[in-house]
Amino acid sequence: MPGQQVSPNLALDQLVALRRARGESIVHLGFGESRLPVFAPLAQRLRLGAPRNAYGPVAGDLAVRQAVSGYFTRRRMPTHPEQVIMAPGSKPLLMALQMVVPGDVVLPRPCWVTYGPQAEWAGKHVFGVPIPDDCGGVPAPDALRETVRAARKHGRDPKIVILNSPDNPTGTVAPPTLVREVCAVAEEEDLLVVSDEIYRDLVHDPDTPFLSPAEVVPDRTVVVTGLSKSLALGGWRIGTARFPMGAWGTRIREGVASYASEVWSTLAGPMQEVAAYAFDEPPEIRARLATDARLHGAVAGAVYEIMRNAGAACRRPNAGFYVYPDLSPVGESLRRKSINDAITLQARLLDEFGVAVLAGAHFGDDPHAPRFRAATSMLYGDTEEQQAAAQETDDPLRLPHIAAALDAIETSFTKLCS
Amino acid sequence: MPGQQVSPNLALDQLVALRRARGESIVHLGFGESRLPVFAPLAQRLRLGAPRNAYGPVAGDLAVRQAVSGYFTRRRMPTHPEQVIMAPGSKPLLMALQMVVPGDVVLPRPCWVTYGPQAEWAGKHVFGVPIPDDCGGVPAPDALRETVRAARKHGRDPKIVILNSPDNPTGTVAPPTLVREVCAVAEEEDLLVVSDEIYRDLVHDPDTPFLSPAEVVPDRTVVVTGLSKSLALGGWRIGTARFPMGAWGTRIREGVASYASEVWSTLAGPMQEVAAYAFDEPPEIRARLATDARLHGAVAGAVYEIMRNAGAACRRPNAGFYVYPDLSPVGESLRRKSINDAITLQARLLDEFGVAVLAGAHFGDDPHAPRFRAATSMLYGDTEEQQAAAQETDDPLRLPHIAAALDAIETSFTKLCS
């Protein structure tokens, strides 16, 4: 078996909770969760869904699959309800894809902590391909082609590439030209594209161009998404996948449905009720998404500025709630403090500065590079009142609890980097 | 990959729904669901749990794991919260165990439709061992020993035996003496026992002796259960596992937690709220379980009588809501109707008699044996009113809708078997 470790982000979150319970003051930037209250209409739908105690269809009932079809269709991906499978989160769907589709997996490096371990559980080999300089979540196209060809020369069989735009950990949208280039390589090398678009509705500026691989190579792209990030429902576990039309897509979808029927049966009925409502995107949901995206942009932007001022190199985040600084430009200061790798950087930031971040090494990045992910969504507050205030104000950076956290981060990194 | 098929019970349920929607009248005995309304206090807990949108610990929060510990401790299995992992149903936990524990799997034959496919998804070989004549869910001990030894001689490595008492599909409790014998073989042959006790709270007569393998070989038994059957919450997806103390148990538990963190993250927060309440077993929950167990006993008993009167051999059900008749004694009548195998029997029962059952072959039984499982819990009614009436009355067999369904079954089987 691949490991005995709990996923590092979940493990760090548990550690921070433990240390805070012991009275330690920690600025928690270590967990990829949108820490905002449940939007009231979603709670109402959960209540309305309570009578749904029957198993129902594996893929989800028709109403929820119609809502998801509408969601994708409005995003230039015409979708029939037959193409949709619901699940308790997008994680089980990503795992099912890895179990069902034979061959090895290519991942952008760095990427979300879970793609790699899932591939290992599924008995696959993982090939990491560096991301470009200006964004994350997609492998640099030429390096992707080279990696696939070299792997095949060595007898491996890369067959899947996972893309994630906007991405975790860099918080950036891949530009359409780059998406087209990557899709061209996928076509050329006959790769299935798994496009994890769970941060799509959190682009800070709605005018940022977004292109899904499913618009470019529709027959070879599975899109996965969920409500964990966009509607702050991580703890409710609602995910969905859109499979391609055509013979290959249908075969993969039937395989995932088969796996689902043996492993999770179906998404819980009350959660299907919530999903049918949310993916239908009534005006109040659209307004909520827009509000939250602005909040994420403001706070991620502020942390980005702090990191740049402290001397870090950093891609400018334009979606989601992550910043991925690289402290290499101030490497001399780190080495003087005996910080020579990413894991040590994470540990010392927590122990000496009370700042919890996740080392780049956990995202598959070079373990010697002093990089880490800061999840800025953890700064909205520890109480529902603070979080609601952050959503309601035009200038979240001036809220006392957010300003204080940003000050603490600035002080810590000024000290660390000098 | 093992297959492209949806689990046969879920597939049959979808087929019946489709044909009923087309106006066909079908007596649905084909799906293993307790078709009863949601108990009101459970819906209330779901509502109270709505604010729980954070991911929280992978295994579930302390409150729910304490409740589950209490549940097991009251059943003569002293349990610490550390030993417990929650999940969206017991299926993902059973799958995780198969992924985490190396070696092949031994199953009672017949057994629940999902154990075998899960083993295949996990790359394991499955060995079926016939059940005894008087109950199901456990392999006959001598045959178990022989199968394991023969498998090892042929270079295989059976390492896990899955037990299920009370069981699906025969609806019987394994007597304590038999459980001890099977546990002795597990000890002798160094097998991990996975004890699926999801029907435990549905024993018809509370005085029926029940012994868990975890009481006999505690260091090598993982117990899995959930609320899908006992509290009719299949569509809510709430399951849990209890791992052994000791080095082996701890290693397996850590492996399952690691797998869980990569595949399903955690049980949804609102469902943890429900589970904490239900596993704590306040008086109203205990009363509800007792009421439902009586109802299951009455209706399963009636179907058992019909089958016996029609000439079937059948174990007398004493738990859950299944009956597993064997029509071999009237095989001549079947052969005259060109019914020579279990799958044909299932198809003809549906097409010509409008009775949906699941062929024994789907449970791993001899495909030529005319056996099937009837899920009698599907007879409680199609509306909440009918179902509630069935729960409230002392004599559910006299309710018009249940009496009519039983009449239809009797007529069909009298015709089929003569």
Side-chain angles (χ1 to χ4, degrees):
Chain A
M1 74 186 101
Q4 292 288 107
Q5 302 300 313
V6 161
S7 183
N9 53 329
L10 293 163
L12 179 62
D13 191 47
Q14 293 180 34
L15 177 65
V16 170
L18 210 68
R19 293 174 73 150
R20 281 182 167 173
R22 289 204 303 248
E24 289 183 46
S25 165
I26 293 173
V27 179
H28 190 0
L29 299 169
F31 192 54
E33 178 170 277
S34 177
R35 200 149 279 190
L36 290 168
V38 173
F39 188 39
L42 296 166
Q44 192 195 342
R45 290 293 155 159
L46 185 72
R47 192 169 72 238
L48 290 174
R52 298 177 57 156
N53 62 334
Y55 287 84
V58 170
D61 73 8
L62 184 60
V64 68
R65 287 183 291 113
Q66 276 172 335
V68 171
S69 304
Y71 172 91
F72 283 119
T73 301
R74 285 188 296 280
R75 283 158 180 77
R76 302 183 306 272
M77 293 176 267
T79 305
H80 187 274
E82 276 297 308
Q83 291 172 258
V84 174
I85 296 182
M86 308 302 300
S90 55
K91 265 186 188 180
L93 288 162
L94 287 160
M95 182 69 190
L97 283 164
Q98 299 227 29
M99 293 293 281
V100 164
V101 181
D104 295 318
V105 174
V106 185
L107 299 177
R109 191 174 70 206
C111 69
W112 181 43
V113 297
T114 284
Y115 303 130
Q118 284 193 342
E120 286 165 30
W121 279 109
K124 292 175 179 321
H125 194 84
V126 171
F127 297 92
V129 175
I131 58 175
D133 290 334
D134 56 335
C135 73
V138 295
D142 290 342
L144 171 61
R145 186 185 295 107
E146 278 164 36
T147 300
V148 168
R149 291 184 178 176
R152 285 179 182 154
K153 260 190 202 140
H154 288 86
R156 305 296 323 191
D157 179 29
K159 198 65 201 155
I160 303 171
V161 59
I162 303 185
L163 310 183
N164 177 216
S165 174
D167 84 314
N168 176 3
T170 82
T172 59
V173 179
T177 48
L178 180 65
V179 172
R180 285 186 202 283
E181 285 174 49
V182 171
C183 287
V185 178
E187 189 82 46
E188 215 175 283
E189 302 297 335
D190 197 23
L191 303 175
L192 178 76
V193 177
V194 175
S195 182
D196 180 352
E197 301 183 4
I198 198 161
Y199 296 97
R200 174 165 188 171
D201 296 321
L202 298 178
V203 175
H204 302 158
D205 173 354
D207 293 332
T208 306
F210 181 91
L211 181 68
S212 170
E215 297 177 71
V216 187
V217 285
D219 288 347
R220 56 175 70 250
T221 303
V222 178
V223 182
V224 172
T225 189
L227 303 180
S228 296
K229 310 302 177 182
S230 57
L231 289 169
L233 290 182
W236 283 22
R237 317 302 310 121
I238 298 172
T240 188
R242 174 194 184 275
F243 295 84
M245 298 292 273
W248 194 21
T250 303
R251 212 161 61 238
I252 294 171
R253 177 172 55 77
E254 287 173 354
V256 169
S258 166
Y259 182 83
S261 77
E262 307 294 7
V263 177
W264 69 78
S265 292
T266 183
L267 171 61
M271 296 306 174
Q272 289 193 35
E273 187 83 17
V274 170
Y277 163 75
F279 281 109
D280 203 39
E281 298 180 289
E284 68 276 13
I285 288 287
R286 289 203 299 271
R288 170 75 176 218
L289 289 171
T291 302
D292 288 358
R294 275 198 304 276
L295 171 62
H296 297 318
V299 178
V303 174
Y304 165 77
E305 293 296 341
I306 292 171
M307 294 301 159
R308 289 300 302 268
N309 291 338
C314 192
R315 291 170 187 79
R316 181 187 291 274
N318 60 356
F321 35 71
Y322 302 121
V323 180
Y324 192 70
D326 180 350
L327 299 187
S328 300
V330 295
E332 196 44 55
S333 308
L334 299 183
R335 282 187 288 277
R336 276 202 311 272
K337 298 178 180 74
S338 304
I339 298 173
N340 295 305
D341 63 86
I343 298 291
T344 305
L345 175 61
Q346 172 182 329
R348 297 281 292 280
L349 267 169
L350 182 59
D351 292 342
E352 291 167 34
F353 298 90
V355 178
V357 299
L358 207 55
H362 289 306
F363 299 90
D365 211 346
D366 178 357
H368 299 292
R371 298 175 191 148
F372 60 88
R373 187 198 67 181
T376 56
S377 51
M378 302 298 284
L379 299 177
Y380 304 150
D382 291 328
T383 65
E384 276 206 19
E385 289 67 33
Q386 287 180 336
Q387 294 162 8
Q391 289 175 300
E392 280 155 24
T393 177
D394 281 339
D395 191 357
L397 307 183
R398 296 181 62 178
L399 285 176
H401 68 278
I402 294 180
L406 292 172
D407 276 352
I409 295 168
E410 185 163 28
T411 306
S412 297
F413 278 89
T414 307
K415 212 184 290 176
L416 175 74
C417 299
S418 62
Chain B
M1 73 186 101
Q4 292 288 108
Q5 300 302 313
V6 160
S7 183
N9 53 329
L10 294 164
L12 179 62
D13 190 47
Q14 293 180 32
L15 177 66
V16 170
L18 208 70
R19 292 173 72 151
R20 282 182 167 174
R22 289 204 302 247
E24 289 182 45
S25 165
I26 293 173
V27 179
H28 190 1
L29 299 168
F31 193 53
E33 177 170 277
S34 178
R35 200 150 280 189
L36 290 168
V38 173
F39 189 39
L42 296 166
Q44 192 194 343
R45 290 293 155 161
L46 185 71
R47 194 170 68 239
L48 291 174
R52 298 177 57 157
N53 62 332
Y55 288 85
V58 171
D61 73 8
L62 184 59
V64 67
R65 287 183 290 113
Q66 276 173 334
V68 171
S69 303
Y71 171 91
F72 283 119
T73 301
R74 285 189 296 279
R75 283 158 180 77
R76 302 184 305 271
M77 294 177 266
T79 306
H80 187 273
E82 276 297 309
Q83 291 172 259
V84 174
I85 296 183
M86 309 301 299
S90 55
K91 266 187 186 178
L93 288 161
L94 288 160
M95 182 68 191
L97 283 162
Q98 299 227 28
M99 292 292 282
V100 163
V101 181
D104 295 318
V105 174
V106 185
L107 300 177
R109 191 174 69 206
C111 70
W112 181 44
V113 296
T114 285
Y115 303 131
Q118 284 193 342
E120 286 165 31
W121 280 109
K124 293 175 177 321
H125 194 86
V126 171
F127 297 93
V129 176
I131 58 175
D133 290 334
D134 56 336
C135 72
V138 296
D142 290 341
L144 171 62
R145 186 186 296 105
E146 278 163 36
T147 300
V148 169
R149 292 185 179 176
R152 286 180 181 152
K153 261 190 202 140
H154 288 85
R156 304 296 325 190
D157 179 29
K159 199 65 201 158
I160 304 171
V161 59
I162 303 185
L163 310 182
N164 177 217
S165 174
D167 84 313
N168 175 5
T170 82
T172 59
V173 178
T177 48
L178 180 64
V179 172
R180 285 186 203 284
E181 286 174 48
V182 171
C183 288
V185 179
E187 188 83 46
E188 214 174 285
E189 302 295 336
D190 196 22
L191 303 174
L192 178 76
V193 178
V194 174
S195 181
D196 180 352
E197 302 183 4
I198 198 160
Y199 296 97
R200 174 166 187 171
D201 296 322
L202 297 178
V203 175
H204 302 158
D205 173 353
D207 293 332
T208 307
F210 181 90
L211 181 68
S212 170
E215 298 176 72
V216 187
V217 285
D219 288 346
R220 58 176 67 252
T221 303
V222 177
V223 182
V224 171
T225 189
L227 304 180
S228 296
K229 310 302 177 185
S230 57
L231 288 169
L233 289 181
W236 284 21
R237 316 304 308 124
I238 298 172
T240 188
R242 174 194 185 273
F243 296 85
M245 298 291 274
W248 194 23
T250 302
R251 212 163 59 239
I252 294 171
R253 177 173 54 76
E254 287 173 354
V256 170
S258 167
Y259 182 84
S261 77
E262 307 294 6
V263 178
W264 70 77
S265 293
T266 184
L267 173 61
M271 296 305 174
Q272 290 192 35
E273 187 84 16
V274 170
Y277 163 76
F279 281 108
D280 202 41
E281 299 179 289
E284 67 276 14
I285 288 286
R286 291 203 297 272
R288 169 78 176 217
L289 289 171
T291 302
D292 288 356
R294 274 197 306 275
L295 170 62
H296 298 317
V299 178
V303 174
Y304 165 78
E305 293 298 340
I306 291 172
M307 295 300 158
R308 289 299 302 268
N309 291 339
C314 192
R315 292 170 186 80
R316 182 186 291 274
N318 60 357
F321 35 71
Y322 303 121
V323 180
Y324 191 71
D326 180 349
L327 299 187
S328 299
V330 294
E332 196 42 56
S333 308
L334 300 183
R335 282 187 290 276
R336 274 203 310 274
K337 298 178 179 73
S338 306
I339 298 174
N340 295 306
D341 62 86
I343 297 291
T344 305
L345 175 60
Q346 172 182 327
R348 297 281 292 279
L349 268 168
L350 183 58
D351 292 341
E352 290 167 33
F353 298 90
V355 178
V357 300
L358 208 55
H362 289 305
F363 300 90
D365 210 346
D366 178 356
H368 300 292
R371 296 173 192 149
F372 61 88
R373 186 198 69 181
T376 56
S377 50
M378 301 298 284
L379 299 177
Y380 304 151
D382 292 327
T383 64
E384 277 206 18
E385 291 65 34
Q386 287 181 335
Q387 295 161 7
Q391 288 174 300
E392 281 155 24
T393 176
D394 281 339
D395 191 356
L397 307 183
R398 295 183 61 181
L399 285 176
H401 67 280
I402 294 180
L406 292 172
D407 277 352
I409 295 168
E410 186 164 27
T411 306
S412 297
F413 278 88
T414 307
K415 212 183 293 177
L416 175 73
C417 298
S418 62

